[in-house]
């Protein structure tokens, strides 16, 4: 089940975060303050989703590797992949 949510979460991370917040206790255990969850939902949704799921299921080494990948994916999504044209 977590792999299914993670696969869907790549395309719709904000939707999955909201659904998991209402129907699972993953984010309540991972984030002590709801402000961190809201800021993560706005600015780094893939990182927030990975952190919430990995705190519940994975060990520290897998958690760190996945967190780095999620941050890099979020930074790539924020930029939009636009190129500057010269000439």
């Amino acid at each position: 089940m977590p792999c299914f949510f993670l696969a869907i979460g790549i395309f719709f991370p904000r939707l999955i975060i909201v659904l998991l917040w209402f129907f699972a206790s993953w984010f309540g255990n991972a984030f002590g303050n709801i402000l961190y969850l809201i800021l993560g939902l706005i600015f780094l949704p893939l990182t927030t989703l990975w952190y919430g799921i990995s705190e519940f299921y994975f060990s520290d080494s897998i958690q760190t590797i996945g967190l780095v990948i999620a941050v890099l994916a979020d930074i790539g999504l924020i930029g939009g992949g636009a190129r500057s044209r010269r000439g």
Side-chain angles (χ1 to χ4, degrees):
M1 191 69 160
C3 291
F4 174 72
F5 281 124
L6 190 60
I8 298 296
I10 291 172
F11 298 106
F12 307 106
R14 290 177 178 96
L15 174 69
I16 296 298
I17 289 171
V18 170
L19 289 175
L20 288 176
W21 172 255
F22 286 121
F23 297 114
S25 64
W26 292 351
F27 294 108
N29 296 335
F31 299 100
N33 190 353
I34 194 167
L35 178 65
Y36 296 135
L37 180 64
I38 292 170
L39 288 174
L41 180 69
I42 294 169
F43 294 110
L44 296 170
L46 288 175
T47 305
T48 305
L49 181 63
W50 174 258
Y51 186 74
I53 291 172
S54 67
E55 275 292 313
F56 196 74
Y57 281 103
F58 299 113
S59 66
D60 288 338
S61 61
I62 295 174
Q63 207 173 11
T64 305
I65 293 168
L67 196 63
V68 169
I69 293 170
V71 167
L72 292 175
D74 274 331
I75 291 171
L77 291 175
I78 290 170
R83 290 186 186 174
S84 63
R85 294 186 180 191
R86 296 181 189 211

